[in-house]
PDB file of all heavy atoms in Angstrom:
ATOM      1  N   GLY A  14      -8.040  -2.174   7.362  1.00  0.00           N
ATOM      2  CA  GLY A  14      -6.880  -3.065   7.519  1.00  0.00           C
ATOM      3  C   GLY A  14      -5.920  -2.972   6.280  1.00  0.00           C
ATOM      4  O   GLY A  14      -5.834  -1.898   5.675  1.00  0.00           O
ATOM      5  N   THR A  15      -5.335  -4.051   5.872  1.00  0.00           N
ATOM      6  CA  THR A  15      -4.411  -3.960   4.745  1.00  0.00           C
ATOM      7  C   THR A  15      -5.011  -3.346   3.537  1.00  0.00           C
ATOM      8  O   THR A  15      -4.397  -2.413   2.927  1.00  0.00           O
ATOM      9  CB  THR A  15      -4.061  -5.448   4.424  1.00  0.00           C
ATOM     10  OG1 THR A  15      -3.539  -6.118   5.555  1.00  0.00           O
ATOM     11  CG2 THR A  15      -2.875  -5.436   3.306  1.00  0.00           C
ATOM     12  N   MET A  16      -6.163  -3.622   3.087  1.00  0.00           N
ATOM     13  CA  MET A  16      -6.818  -3.223   2.024  1.00  0.00           C
ATOM     14  C   MET A  16      -7.547  -1.813   2.086  1.00  0.00           C
ATOM     15  O   MET A  16      -7.339  -0.929   1.489  1.00  0.00           O
ATOM     16  CB  MET A  16      -7.778  -4.160   1.236  1.00  0.00           C
ATOM     17  CG  MET A  16      -7.126  -5.480   0.836  1.00  0.00           C
ATOM     18  SD  MET A  16      -5.884  -5.010  -0.477  1.00  0.00           S
ATOM     19  CE  MET A  16      -7.029  -4.655  -1.818  1.00  0.00           C
ATOM     20  N   TYR A  34     -14.552   3.426   8.088  1.00  0.00           N
ATOM     21  CA  TYR A  34     -15.270   2.680   9.224  1.00  0.00           C
ATOM     22  C   TYR A  34     -14.629   1.414   9.674  1.00  0.00           C
ATOM     23  O   TYR A  34     -14.162   0.600   8.803  1.00  0.00           O
ATOM     24  CB  TYR A  34     -16.812   2.372   8.803  1.00  0.00           C
ATOM     25  CG  TYR A  34     -17.508   1.401   9.795  1.00  0.00           C
ATOM     26  CD1 TYR A  34     -17.973   1.982  11.022  1.00  0.00           C
ATOM     27  CD2 TYR A  34     -17.466   0.085   9.388  1.00  0.00           C
ATOM     28  CE1 TYR A  34     -18.700   1.095  11.954  1.00  0.00           C
ATOM     29  CE2 TYR A  34     -18.083  -0.790  10.370  1.00  0.00           C
ATOM     30  CZ  TYR A  34     -18.782  -0.336  11.507  1.00  0.00           C
ATOM     31  OH  TYR A  34     -19.376  -1.038  12.390  1.00  0.00           O
ATOM     32  N   ASP A  35     -14.264   1.250  10.863  1.00  0.00           N
ATOM     33  CA  ASP A  35     -13.746   0.007  11.458  1.00  0.00           C
ATOM     34  C   ASP A  35     -14.099  -0.136  12.849  1.00  0.00           C
ATOM     35  O   ASP A  35     -14.214   0.943  13.589  1.00  0.00           O
ATOM     36  CB  ASP A  35     -12.179   0.036  11.268  1.00  0.00           C
ATOM     37  CG  ASP A  35     -11.666  -1.499  11.228  1.00  0.00           C
ATOM     38  OD1 ASP A  35     -11.774  -2.136  12.389  1.00  0.00           O
ATOM     39  OD2 ASP A  35     -11.174  -2.013  10.315  1.00  0.00           O
ATOM     40  N   ILE A  36     -14.397  -1.279  13.314  1.00  0.00           N
ATOM     41  CA  ILE A  36     -14.818  -1.539  14.714  1.00  0.00           C
ATOM     42  C   ILE A  36     -13.601  -1.371  15.711  1.00  0.00           C
ATOM     43  O   ILE A  36     -13.700  -1.121  16.822  1.00  0.00           O
ATOM     44  CB  ILE A  36     -15.485  -2.840  15.001  1.00  0.00           C
ATOM     45  CG1 ILE A  36     -14.784  -3.990  14.207  1.00  0.00           C
ATOM     46  CG2 ILE A  36     -16.913  -2.843  14.612  1.00  0.00           C
ATOM     47  CD1 ILE A  36     -15.259  -5.309  14.538  1.00  0.00           C
ATOM     48  N   GLU A  37     -12.346  -1.489  15.140  1.00  0.00           N
ATOM     49  CA  GLU A  37     -11.184  -1.379  15.957  1.00  0.00           C
ATOM     50  C   GLU A  37     -10.490  -0.054  15.846  1.00  0.00           C
ATOM     51  O   GLU A  37      -9.981   0.302  14.728  1.00  0.00           O
ATOM     52  CB  GLU A  37     -10.115  -2.395  15.454  1.00  0.00           C
ATOM     53  CG  GLU A  37     -10.568  -3.808  15.534  1.00  0.00           C
ATOM     54  CD  GLU A  37     -10.202  -4.546  16.936  1.00  0.00           C
ATOM     55  OE1 GLU A  37      -9.490  -3.961  17.631  1.00  0.00           O
ATOM     56  OE2 GLU A  37     -10.753  -5.633  17.177  1.00  0.00           O
ATOM     57  N   GLN A  40      -7.066  -0.154  14.329  1.00  0.00           N
ATOM     58  CA  GLN A  40      -6.852  -0.276  12.916  1.00  0.00           C
ATOM     59  C   GLN A  40      -7.087   1.040  12.189  1.00  0.00           C
ATOM     60  O   GLN A  40      -6.405   1.424  11.251  1.00  0.00           O
ATOM     61  CB  GLN A  40      -7.945  -1.278  12.555  1.00  0.00           C
ATOM     62  CG  GLN A  40      -7.715  -2.769  12.901  1.00  0.00           C
ATOM     63  CD  GLN A  40      -6.555  -3.251  12.176  1.00  0.00           C
ATOM     64  OE1 GLN A  40      -5.327  -3.100  12.666  1.00  0.00           O
ATOM     65  NE2 GLN A  40      -6.608  -3.980  11.087  1.00  0.00           N
ATOM     66  N   ALA A  91     -14.373  -3.559   2.754  1.00  0.00           N
ATOM     67  CA  ALA A  91     -13.109  -4.281   2.770  1.00  0.00           C
ATOM     68  C   ALA A  91     -12.952  -4.878   4.235  1.00  0.00           C
ATOM     69  O   ALA A  91     -11.813  -4.669   4.813  1.00  0.00           O
ATOM     70  CB  ALA A  91     -11.884  -3.535   2.282  1.00  0.00           C
ATOM     71  N   VAL A  92     -13.871  -5.532   4.938  1.00  0.00           N
ATOM     72  CA  VAL A  92     -13.602  -6.125   6.073  1.00  0.00           C
ATOM     73  C   VAL A  92     -13.275  -7.540   5.878  1.00  0.00           C
ATOM     74  O   VAL A  92     -13.088  -8.042   4.760  1.00  0.00           O
ATOM     75  CB  VAL A  92     -14.923  -5.985   7.118  1.00  0.00           C
ATOM     76  CG1 VAL A  92     -15.320  -4.591   7.193  1.00  0.00           C
ATOM     77  CG2 VAL A  92     -16.089  -6.966   6.612  1.00  0.00           C
ATOM     78  N   VAL A  93     -13.113  -8.352   7.017  1.00  0.00           N
ATOM     79  CA  VAL A  93     -12.559  -9.614   6.946  1.00  0.00           C
ATOM     80  C   VAL A  93     -13.326 -10.465   5.943  1.00  0.00           C
ATOM     81  O   VAL A  93     -14.464 -10.210   5.763  1.00  0.00           O
ATOM     82  CB  VAL A  93     -12.680 -10.462   8.356  1.00  0.00           C
ATOM     83  CG1 VAL A  93     -11.583 -10.107   9.318  1.00  0.00           C
ATOM     84  CG2 VAL A  93     -14.112 -10.136   9.017  1.00  0.00           C
ATOM     85  N   GLU A  94     -12.695 -11.597   5.394  1.00  0.00           N
ATOM     86  CA  GLU A  94     -13.268 -12.416   4.436  1.00  0.00           C
ATOM     87  C   GLU A  94     -14.138 -13.469   4.981  1.00  0.00           C
ATOM     88  O   GLU A  94     -13.803 -14.670   5.252  1.00  0.00           O
ATOM     89  CB  GLU A  94     -12.135 -13.116   3.575  1.00  0.00           C
ATOM     90  CG  GLU A  94     -12.684 -13.842   2.346  1.00  0.00           C
ATOM     91  CD  GLU A  94     -12.953 -12.968   1.173  1.00  0.00           C
ATOM     92  OE1 GLU A  94     -13.293 -11.759   1.248  1.00  0.00           O
ATOM     93  OE2 GLU A  94     -13.071 -13.469   0.091  1.00  0.00           O
ATOM     94  N   VAL A  98     -20.232 -12.047   8.145  1.00  0.00           N
ATOM     95  CA  VAL A  98     -19.895 -10.601   8.624  1.00  0.00           C
ATOM     96  C   VAL A  98     -20.231  -9.562   7.515  1.00  0.00           C
ATOM     97  O   VAL A  98     -20.794  -8.573   7.753  1.00  0.00           O
ATOM     98  CB  VAL A  98     -18.457 -10.375   9.059  1.00  0.00           C
ATOM     99  CG1 VAL A  98     -18.093  -9.020   9.296  1.00  0.00           C
ATOM    100  CG2 VAL A  98     -18.089 -11.380  10.188  1.00  0.00           C
ATOM    101  N   LYS A  99     -20.015  -9.858   6.279  1.00  0.00           N
ATOM    102  CA  LYS A  99     -20.237  -9.104   5.181  1.00  0.00           C
ATOM    103  C   LYS A  99     -21.795  -8.813   5.012  1.00  0.00           C
ATOM    104  O   LYS A  99     -22.312  -7.711   4.843  1.00  0.00           O
ATOM    105  CB  LYS A  99     -19.600  -9.493   3.888  1.00  0.00           C
ATOM    106  CG  LYS A  99     -17.972  -9.488   3.965  1.00  0.00           C
ATOM    107  CD  LYS A  99     -17.417  -9.976   2.519  1.00  0.00           C
ATOM    108  CE  LYS A  99     -15.900 -10.082   2.541  1.00  0.00           C
ATOM    109  NZ  LYS A  99     -15.110  -8.827   2.766  1.00  0.00           N
ATOM    110  N   LEU A 102     -23.318  -6.612   7.624  1.00  0.00           N
ATOM    111  CA  LEU A 102     -22.889  -5.182   7.412  1.00  0.00           C
ATOM    112  C   LEU A 102     -23.703  -4.618   6.155  1.00  0.00           C
ATOM    113  O   LEU A 102     -24.232  -3.491   6.225  1.00  0.00           O
ATOM    114  CB  LEU A 102     -21.393  -4.989   7.043  1.00  0.00           C
ATOM    115  CG  LEU A 102     -20.406  -4.868   8.336  1.00  0.00           C
ATOM    116  CD1 LEU A 102     -18.951  -4.837   7.822  1.00  0.00           C
ATOM    117  CD2 LEU A 102     -20.903  -3.631   9.117  1.00  0.00           C
ATOM    118  N   ASN A 119     -15.120  -5.650  -1.701  1.00  0.00           N
ATOM    119  CA  ASN A 119     -13.839  -5.926  -2.189  1.00  0.00           C
ATOM    120  C   ASN A 119     -13.411  -7.458  -1.907  1.00  0.00           C
ATOM    121  O   ASN A 119     -12.290  -7.763  -1.785  1.00  0.00           O
ATOM    122  CB  ASN A 119     -12.905  -4.968  -1.507  1.00  0.00           C
ATOM    123  CG  ASN A 119     -11.437  -5.224  -2.004  1.00  0.00           C
ATOM    124  OD1 ASN A 119     -11.115  -5.211  -3.153  1.00  0.00           O
ATOM    125  ND2 ASN A 119     -10.476  -5.235  -0.892  1.00  0.00           N
ATOM    126  N   THR A 120     -14.519  -8.258  -1.622  1.00  0.00           N
ATOM    127  CA  THR A 120     -14.218  -9.700  -1.375  1.00  0.00           C
ATOM    128  C   THR A 120     -13.206 -10.267  -2.380  1.00  0.00           C
ATOM    129  O   THR A 120     -13.429  -9.939  -3.628  1.00  0.00           O
ATOM    130  CB  THR A 120     -15.546 -10.549  -1.322  1.00  0.00           C
ATOM    131  OG1 THR A 120     -15.210 -11.909  -1.180  1.00  0.00           O
ATOM    132  CG2 THR A 120     -16.328 -10.420  -2.619  1.00  0.00           C
ATOM    133  N   SER A 121     -12.354 -11.181  -1.980  1.00  0.00           N
ATOM    134  CA  SER A 121     -11.363 -11.830  -2.915  1.00  0.00           C
ATOM    135  C   SER A 121     -12.073 -13.025  -3.578  1.00  0.00           C
ATOM    136  O   SER A 121     -11.498 -13.535  -4.570  1.00  0.00           O
ATOM    137  CB  SER A 121     -10.247 -12.379  -2.186  1.00  0.00           C
ATOM    138  OG  SER A 121      -9.627 -11.405  -1.400  1.00  0.00           O
ATOM    139  N   HIS A 142     -13.182  -5.423  -6.932  1.00  0.00           N
ATOM    140  CA  HIS A 142     -12.046  -6.146  -6.335  1.00  0.00           C
ATOM    141  C   HIS A 142     -10.633  -5.466  -6.684  1.00  0.00           C
ATOM    142  O   HIS A 142     -10.353  -5.582  -7.828  1.00  0.00           O
ATOM    143  CB  HIS A 142     -12.074  -7.666  -6.892  1.00  0.00           C
ATOM    144  CG  HIS A 142     -11.001  -8.455  -6.182  1.00  0.00           C
ATOM    145  ND1 HIS A 142     -10.452  -9.616  -6.798  1.00  0.00           N
ATOM    146  CD2 HIS A 142     -10.477  -8.495  -4.995  1.00  0.00           C
ATOM    147  CE1 HIS A 142      -9.615 -10.130  -6.061  1.00  0.00           C
ATOM    148  NE2 HIS A 142      -9.523  -9.501  -4.835  1.00  0.00           N
ATOM    149  N   PHE A 143     -10.090  -4.848  -5.615  1.00  0.00           N
ATOM    150  CA  PHE A 143      -8.834  -4.140  -5.875  1.00  0.00           C
ATOM    151  C   PHE A 143      -7.737  -5.243  -5.533  1.00  0.00           C
ATOM    152  O   PHE A 143      -7.963  -6.270  -4.945  1.00  0.00           O
ATOM    153  CB  PHE A 143      -8.682  -2.980  -5.040  1.00  0.00           C
ATOM    154  CG  PHE A 143      -9.615  -1.841  -5.235  1.00  0.00           C
ATOM    155  CD1 PHE A 143     -10.913  -1.811  -4.835  1.00  0.00           C
ATOM    156  CD2 PHE A 143      -9.054  -0.746  -5.927  1.00  0.00           C
ATOM    157  CE1 PHE A 143     -11.769  -0.695  -5.146  1.00  0.00           C
ATOM    158  CE2 PHE A 143      -9.898   0.254  -6.182  1.00  0.00           C
ATOM    159  CZ  PHE A 143     -11.223   0.304  -5.821  1.00  0.00           C
ATOM    160  N   ASN A 145      -3.554  -5.701  -4.022  1.00  0.00           N
ATOM    161  CA  ASN A 145      -2.758  -5.103  -2.913  1.00  0.00           C
ATOM    162  C   ASN A 145      -1.289  -4.780  -3.306  1.00  0.00           C
ATOM    163  O   ASN A 145      -0.710  -5.557  -3.790  1.00  0.00           O
ATOM    164  CB  ASN A 145      -2.670  -6.308  -1.848  1.00  0.00           C
ATOM    165  CG  ASN A 145      -1.963  -5.915  -0.572  1.00  0.00           C
ATOM    166  OD1 ASN A 145      -1.830  -4.740  -0.365  1.00  0.00           O
ATOM    167  ND2 ASN A 145      -1.540  -6.885   0.147  1.00  0.00           N
ATOM    168  N   ALA A 238       0.017 -10.424   1.064  1.00  0.00           N
ATOM    169  CA  ALA A 238      -1.491 -10.504   1.087  1.00  0.00           C
ATOM    170  C   ALA A 238      -2.010 -10.742   2.466  1.00  0.00           C
ATOM    171  O   ALA A 238      -3.143 -10.216   2.876  1.00  0.00           O
ATOM    172  CB  ALA A 238      -1.954 -11.535   0.178  1.00  0.00           C
ATOM    173  N   THR A 242      -5.832 -14.358   5.546  1.00  0.00           N
ATOM    174  CA  THR A 242      -6.883 -14.169   4.597  1.00  0.00           C
ATOM    175  C   THR A 242      -6.905 -15.253   3.601  1.00  0.00           C
ATOM    176  O   THR A 242      -7.930 -15.721   3.065  1.00  0.00           O
ATOM    177  CB  THR A 242      -6.615 -12.813   3.799  1.00  0.00           C
ATOM    178  OG1 THR A 242      -6.397 -11.707   4.689  1.00  0.00           O
ATOM    179  CG2 THR A 242      -7.970 -12.420   2.984  1.00  0.00           C
ATOM    180  N   LYS A 277       1.963  -8.031   7.705  1.00  0.00           N
ATOM    181  CA  LYS A 277       1.139  -7.198   8.524  1.00  0.00           C
ATOM    182  C   LYS A 277       1.584  -7.230  10.003  1.00  0.00           C
ATOM    183  O   LYS A 277       1.471  -6.374  10.742  1.00  0.00           O
ATOM    184  CB  LYS A 277      -0.393  -7.464   8.425  1.00  0.00           C
ATOM    185  CG  LYS A 277      -0.809  -8.962   8.784  1.00  0.00           C
ATOM    186  CD  LYS A 277      -2.364  -8.999   8.848  1.00  0.00           C
ATOM    187  CE  LYS A 277      -2.973  -9.356   7.465  1.00  0.00           C
ATOM    188  NZ  LYS A 277      -4.372  -9.649   7.491  1.00  0.00           N
TER     189      LYS A 277
HETATM  190  N1  NAD B 322      -4.963  -8.676   1.525  1.00  0.00           N
HETATM  191  C1  NAD B 322      -5.240  -8.779   0.183  1.00  0.00           C
HETATM  192  O1  NAD B 322      -4.173  -8.940  -0.517  1.00  0.00           O
HETATM  193  C2  NAD B 322      -6.503  -8.513  -0.443  1.00  0.00           C
HETATM  194  C3  NAD B 322      -6.517  -8.267  -1.831  1.00  0.00           C
HETATM  195  C4  NAD B 322      -7.765  -8.139  -2.395  1.00  0.00           C
HETATM  196  C5  NAD B 322      -8.939  -8.174  -1.602  1.00  0.00           C
HETATM  197  N2  NAD B 322      -8.864  -8.451  -0.299  1.00  0.00           N
HETATM  198  C6  NAD B 322     -10.076  -8.554   0.576  1.00  0.00           C
HETATM  199  O2  NAD B 322     -10.208  -7.509   1.206  1.00  0.00           O
HETATM  200  C7  NAD B 322     -10.974  -7.758   2.387  1.00  0.00           C
HETATM  201  C8  NAD B 322     -10.052  -7.191   3.646  1.00  0.00           C
HETATM  202  O3  NAD B 322      -8.886  -7.954   3.567  1.00  0.00           O
HETATM  203  P1  NAD B 322      -7.636  -7.317   4.380  1.00  0.00           P
HETATM  204  O4  NAD B 322      -6.397  -8.147   3.852  1.00  0.00           O
HETATM  205  O5  NAD B 322      -7.535  -5.819   4.331  1.00  0.00           O
HETATM  206  O6  NAD B 322      -7.877  -7.890   5.834  1.00  0.00           O
HETATM  207  P2  NAD B 322      -7.269  -7.313   7.278  1.00  0.00           P
HETATM  208  O7  NAD B 322      -7.440  -8.379   8.236  1.00  0.00           O
HETATM  209  O8  NAD B 322      -5.986  -6.536   7.063  1.00  0.00           O
HETATM  210  O9  NAD B 322      -8.406  -6.128   7.630  1.00  0.00           O
HETATM  211  C9  NAD B 322      -9.714  -6.362   7.951  1.00  0.00           C
HETATM  212  C10 NAD B 322     -10.374  -5.287   8.759  1.00  0.00           C
HETATM  213  O10 NAD B 322     -11.725  -5.548   8.936  1.00  0.00           O
HETATM  214  C11 NAD B 322     -12.089  -5.039  10.217  1.00  0.00           C
HETATM  215  N3  NAD B 322     -13.291  -5.683  10.639  1.00  0.00           N
HETATM  216  C12 NAD B 322     -13.555  -6.928  11.056  1.00  0.00           C
HETATM  217  N4  NAD B 322     -14.786  -7.174  11.262  1.00  0.00           N
HETATM  218  C13 NAD B 322     -15.483  -5.937  11.041  1.00  0.00           C
HETATM  219  C14 NAD B 322     -16.772  -5.454  11.291  1.00  0.00           C
HETATM  220  N5  NAD B 322     -17.728  -6.218  11.601  1.00  0.00           N
HETATM  221  N6  NAD B 322     -16.992  -4.117  10.970  1.00  0.00           N
HETATM  222  C15 NAD B 322     -16.000  -3.324  10.549  1.00  0.00           C
HETATM  223  N7  NAD B 322     -14.729  -3.692  10.475  1.00  0.00           N
HETATM  224  C16 NAD B 322     -14.509  -5.005  10.773  1.00  0.00           C
HETATM  225  C17 NAD B 322     -10.921  -5.358  11.059  1.00  0.00           C
HETATM  226  O11 NAD B 322     -10.822  -4.699  12.243  1.00  0.00           O
HETATM  227  C18 NAD B 322      -9.694  -5.211  10.118  1.00  0.00           C
HETATM  228  O12 NAD B 322      -9.272  -3.779  10.304  1.00  0.00           O
HETATM  229  C19 NAD B 322     -11.328  -9.241   2.490  1.00  0.00           C
HETATM  230  O13 NAD B 322     -12.523  -9.427   1.920  1.00  0.00           O
HETATM  231  C20 NAD B 322     -10.154  -9.851   1.507  1.00  0.00           C
HETATM  232  O14 NAD B 322     -10.535 -10.947   0.988  1.00  0.00           O
HETATM  233  C21 NAD B 322      -7.628  -8.640   0.410  1.00  0.00           C
END
Side-chain angles (χ1 to χ4, degrees):
T15 306
M16 292 301 285
Y34 167 81
D35 200 294
I36 42 174
E37 300 266 351
Q40 290 293 84
V92 305
V93 279
E94 188 76 341
V98 174
K99 290 183 190 293
L102 277 173
N119 180 49
T120 176
S121 299
H142 185 212
F143 290 84
N145 186 17
T242 313
K277 67 170 86 172

